[in-house]
Amino acid sequence: MDVLSQLRHQLADYTNSLHRDGFLDDQFSQLQQLQDESSPDFAMEVVSLFFEDCQKLVTNMARALELQAVDFKQVDSSVHQLKGSSSSVGAARIKNLCVAFKTCCDSQNRDGCMRCLQEVNRECVLLKNKLQTLFRLEQQIISAGGSIPM
Amino acid sequence: MAQQGGSSSSGGSRILSGGSINVSPMKPLASLKVLVVDDEPMIRTIHKAQLVRAGINDVEVAANGKDAVDLHVNGATFDLILMDLHMPIMDGCQATKKLRAMGVKSSIVGVTSSGGAEKTAFLASGLDDCVSKPFVLQQIAHYLKVPRSPTNPPKYHNP
């Protein structure tokens, strides 16, 4: 098997594993389909915006949960935003965490919210690393003279 | 870009004709003007790309309801407005009410992951429809097919 075929095989396996393990859902595939010659890095750009959003929201939620009197409506609003963003990029595990997080906000369970926030933070870091690996594989294919199947 | 059933060899209309939707626009897709209103840059980027990919070249964006209203005050018109609900400065509900009060007859479709009473109130503000985030183009295909006209008034919930 030549280098290009090996890389393509690796990319396909890796992408399938991300879907299989629940990190990504079909929405991510939809994003990749929006890539074309005029915007070859579309998915990467959107993902980058997503993680910027994530960081801001996690920081806001952490600050809100540190206060003596927690404003659970504010935390809920951030959770709602994160759920929308994660749905839009196909970040399935983060989206699902937001469901549990919302329940903790609704019941004004501060400890529950703190645990959910830690989970969200962990999943964001995990997904960011995995997507960096995926995009690196794509770049390797392009550098080897291949193209990414859309 | 107009298609009558089947799949298209033109990439621009592939997404709209990929399902069972027959796209027969009274106006060609390429001449439609769409406004995407959402406070999140990522969402604006995705929605704009979806629309451009479907063959709609004229896609404007606004970061909140006030900016959307100001565009109309300054004379802009659109065939379709995709309106987020939760936005700073002016939310989707307020913006939709304001636009309808101004006499704006464009199709306005809410795009939100909210449900229940919030969604009901959003619909009642003057939307033609409300779809969940993230939307797929088939959900709004109808509003790209049939632009508003005096003989085809908006179906919004609070005329």
Side-chain angles (χ1 to χ4, degrees):
Chain A
M1 205 188 276
D2 61 41
V3 169
L4 200 49
S5 301
Q6 271 182 335
L7 285 170
R8 282 198 176 119
H9 205 71
Q10 235 181 306
L11 177 65
D13 280 349
Y14 194 69
T15 307
N16 288 339
S17 74
L18 292 181
H19 284 269
R20 198 176 46 242
D21 296 340
F23 285 100
L24 298 174
D25 62 26
D26 188 55
Q27 182 61 22
F28 185 76
S29 310
Q30 299 288 326
L31 280 189
Q32 288 181 305
Q33 285 178 33
L34 290 172
Q35 277 181 173
D36 57 22
E37 295 77 25
S38 63
S39 50
D41 298 324
F42 178 76
M44 200 167 15
E45 285 164 9
V46 167
V47 159
S48 174
L49 287 171
F50 168 66
F51 285 117
E52 278 177 27
D53 262 355
C54 256
Q55 192 51 58
K56 261 186 272 182
L57 291 169
V58 164
T59 303
N60 289 347
M61 288 189 275
R63 279 199 191 123
L65 288 167
E66 275 166 15
L67 297 175
Q68 276 282 67
V70 176
D71 183 348
F72 285 100
K73 268 198 171 147
Q74 191 192 339
V75 178
D76 182 61
S77 168
S78 295
V79 172
H80 179 82
Q81 213 176 317
L82 182 60
K83 187 178 169 214
S85 303
S86 54
S87 298
S88 298
V89 298
R93 274 158 66 146
I94 296 172
K95 179 187 78 176
N96 291 338
L97 276 173
C98 290
V99 176
F101 205 154
K102 180 174 172 51
T103 305
C104 291
C105 289
D106 290 346
S107 52
Q108 303 201 350
N109 177 353
R110 184 202 193 127
D111 289 344
C113 284
M114 294 291 292
R115 276 193 299 274
C116 286
L117 183 62
Q118 280 168 1
E119 281 285 326
V120 161
N121 206 21
R122 198 177 67 88
E123 286 294 334
C124 281
V125 170
L126 206 50
L127 182 61
K128 192 173 185 180
N129 289 340
K130 290 194 178 285
L131 287 175
Q132 278 171 347
T133 302
L134 186 141
F135 293 134
R136 207 164 31 241
L137 276 170
E138 286 185 347
Q139 286 305 311
Q140 284 176 325
I141 288 172
I142 291 166
S143 301
S147 60
I148 310 300
M150 307 269 179
Chain B
M1 291 300 166
Q3 297 296 320
Q4 289 280 357
S7 58
S8 164
S9 58
S10 159
S13 60
R14 183 174 62 229
I15 290 168
L16 281 177
S17 60
S20 58
I21 305 288
N22 291 326
V23 180
S24 308
M26 288 164 65
K27 277 169 92 172
L29 281 174
S31 69
L32 292 179
K33 281 187 69 174
V34 181
L35 174 64
V36 174
V37 189
D38 200 297
D39 59 323
E40 289 186 63
M42 184 195 76
I43 301 292
R44 294 196 299 266
T45 302
I46 294 173
H47 288 183
K48 184 170 178 175
Q50 284 176 294
L51 293 163
V52 167
R53 191 62 184 279
I56 297 157
N57 300 318
D58 199 338
V59 181
E60 253 190 89
V61 297
N64 57 64
K66 184 179 180 300
D67 286 354
V69 168
D70 287 347
L71 279 170
H72 287 82
V73 167
N74 292 331
T77 58
F78 300 93
D79 297 290
L80 172 64
I81 301 168
L82 297 173
M83 184 77 77
D84 183 26
L85 174 54
H86 295 289
M87 293 181 286
I89 305 173
M90 187 186 289
D91 69 19
C93 245
Q94 293 168 316
T96 304
K97 281 180 189 167
K98 215 154 176 110
L99 289 172
R100 292 304 189 207
M102 284 165 60
V104 169
K105 300 276 190 282
S106 313
S107 297
I108 307 179
V109 175
V111 184
T112 178
S113 37
S114 295
E118 258 195 332
K119 185 174 174 177
T120 305
F122 196 14
L123 278 162
S125 69
L127 297 179
D128 287 90
D129 205 347
C130 196
V131 297
S132 303
K133 224 180 243 191
F135 72 82
V136 291
L137 272 170
Q138 279 83 356
Q139 289 176 284
I140 62 164
H142 170 77
Y143 300 98
L144 298 171
K145 278 195 298 181
V146 190
R148 297 299 129 217
S149 71
T151 55
N152 182 32
K155 295 175 175 57
Y156 56 82
H157 292 245
N158 188 22

